[in-house]
Amino acid sequence: MSHVFSEETHRNLLARIPHCTGREVADWLRTVEEGPSLVRFEEKVSWLRGAHDLAYGHAKAIIHEYDLRRAARRLL
């Protein structure tokens, strides 16, 4: 299963996360950072969904954003 969103879809999902979950995206990214050391994208999504009762699209967007930011940090 592909985990690629269009940029617009990804941004729209991120924008809705605070309203739908009651937590800011930065809080979710910290949760992922402090969570278990999982390697595969879908494992991370499944963990986030199961541990925090998130919708699949929201969990997927959070993990995708986490991976994007982590990759950007490596480039600096």
Side-chain angles (χ1 to χ4, degrees), residues 12-41:
N12 288 337
L13 279 167
L14 285 180
R16 289 194 313 255
I17 286 171
H19 174 72
C20 294
T21 68
R23 291 177 61 186
E24 295 297 320
V25 172
D27 293 337
W28 286 113
L29 296 175
R30 241 183 332 275
T31 297
V32 173
E33 182 72 28
E34 295 167 357
S37 296
L38 301 169
V39 176
R40 297 184 55 213
F41 182 86

